[in-house]
Amino acid sequence: MIAQRRGQKDESHEWYVRAAEDGDAVAIAYFNSPGIYRPPKGHALGSETWDRDTEWDEEDEEPWQMTPRTSRILSCNLEILADMAHWELSELGDEPISPNGFGIFFALLPASTWGQSRSWRRKVLRALDDLNEDITLGHPPEPRCAAEEMALHFALQSASAMTIDEPDLVTEFTQGIPQQQGDYDWSICSDLLFQDHDVLFLYDPNLQGCEHPDNPLNRYMRIGDLRPEGWFEEFRNVSPRDPTRGFVH
């Protein structure tokens, strides 16, 4: 962490690798932080899914919204992640995440959540389903709590990887949906679908403790309660979800 504070990124990365290899939970989680998947240099984005050279009719600028193809692929990945999380939930139960274990969703969450109960994890799983319900109803996914923000970060990562690595599958999922300018612009989605990206601070070894509302940095940056027990507290500036809704999974 000292190297990171000094701006020595290569050295700090090396130390995190060593700590992760030694089983340090925070260091392991650091490498699981979700982000937009980008193609290797020189590789185009999705051979048949999006063509940057396509000529589009210029129209008056309108407020941004996800294109139908983008919505479809994001919805598919929310559903895929939910199915995988449901399987992992059945395997884990109330057992804590092991630093040396293998996981496909809950094990990728910040280390501060690794000891949470089955009921807590099931609410995180519901966050994936709630966001997918937004899309099903014809709206962009709107995260209403920290759990939904984290779920959406992972869905965007999965969707962006799919458009790069599995163009045939993307073509299959979007069959019959017209191509539009802005299809699969996941970076824009990441910029505009969130109020902020503070929830990703939980992965930074240098910011451990900032999740607590009494932490000086938390108070200064007005981060809010990012402790696991605060993940489902809905933001005050969004419309609440139906408190009587059930669970899809």
Side-chain angles (χ1 to χ4, degrees):
M1 289 191 289
I2 294 176
Q4 184 180 8
R5 289 172 180 169
R6 291 175 177 172
Q8 300 168 325
K9 294 183 179 180
D10 291 342
E11 183 176 347
S12 63
H13 180 84
E14 182 180 340
W15 280 108
Y16 291 151
V17 169
R18 292 181 183 178
E21 290 174 345
D22 289 339
D24 182 84
V26 173
I28 292 172
Y30 168 76
F31 292 101
N32 294 333
S33 179
I36 301 302
Y37 186 90
R38 303 183 188 281
K41 244 181 182 178
H43 290 254
L45 180 60
S47 58
E48 296 183 7
T49 59
W50 191 50
D51 185 357
R52 288 185 179 273
D53 296 325
T54 299
E55 294 185 4
W56 305 96
D57 293 332
E58 292 187 5
E59 298 179 354
D60 293 336
E61 187 174 341
E62 297 180 358
W64 177 87
Q65 59 181 0
M66 285 199 305
T67 67
R69 283 189 171 203
T70 303
S71 297
R72 173 60 176 155
I73 294 304
L74 184 56
S75 175
C76 288
N77 279 274
L78 283 163
E79 185 175 349
I80 290 169
L81 284 174
D83 287 342
M84 293 194 300
H86 182 250
W87 177 87
E88 187 179 15
L89 179 66
S90 300
E91 294 294 311
L92 277 174
D94 289 316
E95 291 295 317
I97 302 292
S98 169
N100 298 318
F102 171 79
I104 51 180
F105 182 75
F106 296 108
L108 302 182
L109 297 180
S112 59
T113 71
W114 286 6
Q116 294 303 303
S117 66
R118 183 185 186 279
S119 61
W120 184 92
R121 291 168 180 155
R122 194 177 183 211
K123 290 180 182 178
V124 176
L125 168 56
R126 183 168 65 178
L128 291 162
D129 291 323
D130 284 340
L131 292 168
N132 202 16
E133 178 71 7
D134 288 343
I135 299 176
T136 301
L137 294 175
H139 310 299
E142 182 182 14
R144 290 168 168 82
C145 61
E148 292 184 20
E149 286 187 325
M150 188 65 76
L152 185 55
H153 277 297
F154 276 104
L156 287 171
Q157 175 177 266
S158 178
S160 61
M162 178 181 284
T163 54
I164 300 297
D165 295 335
E166 302 179 88
D168 292 339
L169 185 59
V170 170
T171 299
E172 179 183 339
F173 283 151
T174 58
Q175 189 170 5
I177 302 176
Q179 187 180 24
Q180 291 186 18
Q181 185 176 20
D183 282 348
Y184 318 134
D185 194 336
W186 303 113
S187 294
I188 291 295
C189 291
S190 181
D191 288 341
L192 299 182
L193 291 177
F194 299 91
Q195 298 185 41
D196 57 56
H197 288 183
D198 290 355
V199 72
L200 298 182
F201 290 164
L202 297 175
Y203 286 97
D204 192 332
N206 205 34
L207 296 177
Q208 296 304 295
C210 76
E211 67 271 17
H212 199 292
D214 293 335
N215 180 276
L217 180 62
N218 186 304
R219 292 201 305 268
Y220 176 75
M221 298 184 65
R222 299 181 180 179
I223 294 173
D225 190 354
L226 291 182
R227 294 174 297 176
E229 57 266 34
W231 272 35
F232 311 106
E233 182 177 341
E234 292 185 315
F235 306 138
R236 296 179 182 178
N237 60 346
V238 297
S239 56
R241 297 199 185 276
D242 180 1
T244 66
R245 71 192 185 285
F247 292 83
V248 176
H249 287 86

